[in-house]
Amino acid sequence: MHPPPDRRYSRSHAWAIRDSQGDVRSGLTHVPGAFLGDVVSVELPPPRTEVSAGEPIGLVESTTTVFELLSPISGIVVGVNPEVESAPRKVTEDPYGEGWLLSIRPSAGEELDALLTAAEYVRFVGETLHQP
């Protein structure tokens, strides 16, 4: 699976894309999903929570591990995906579609542009996985 080119990516494996209202939808890339296995629960912040780029915002728990979610940008949570709370496996089954996690109203527009492009993210993952 390749990351879609229409999004930006964090080094903590979150993707982000601006919607037509200017909010940023975010989710987890396919990379952690390859290691998580069966996802059993997702914990997300409620709407109106203030989040900061690079700071913890939730957890994805699988049968083998817990993955800490870090916010790709700063802003206010304006929505969460109820589908992943009731069917957490969507986080890994459809990470760029129905497995999205939350929407954030950005407080600093330049943060989204500072994230990695899809090509840069692929290079980053390749370098990270091949480190001794």
Side-chain angles (χ1 to χ4, degrees), residues 91-106:
V91 171
T92 56
E93 289 177 354
D94 190 12
Y96 303 108
E98 291 182 14
W100 67 275
L101 298 171
L102 49 92
S103 290
I104 301 168
R105 181 150 302 137

Side-chain angles (χ1 to χ4, degrees), residues 34-46:
F35 300 100
L36 283 170
D38 293 327
V39 175
V40 295
S41 71
V42 177
E43 292 179 27
L44 298 170

Side-chain angles (χ1 to χ4, degrees), residues 9-15 27-32 67 69-70 121 124-125 128-129:
Y9 299 87
S10 73
R11 286 178 169 80
S12 61
H13 305 291
W15 58 262
L28 195 59
T29 72
H30 67 284
V31 173
F67 186 85
L69 301 169
L70 303 180
Y121 179 70
F124 165 74
V125 169
T128 305
L129 293 178

Side-chain angles (χ1 to χ4, degrees), residues 18-24 105-106:
R18 192 177 309 274
D19 67 19
S20 60
Q21 289 78 39
D23 294 331
V24 174
R105 181 150 302 137

Side-chain angles (χ1 to χ4, degrees), residues 18 24 73-74 106-114:
R18 192 177 309 274
V24 174
I73 64 166
S74 300
S107 58
E110 68 278 358
E111 285 182 342
L112 182 63
D113 296 333

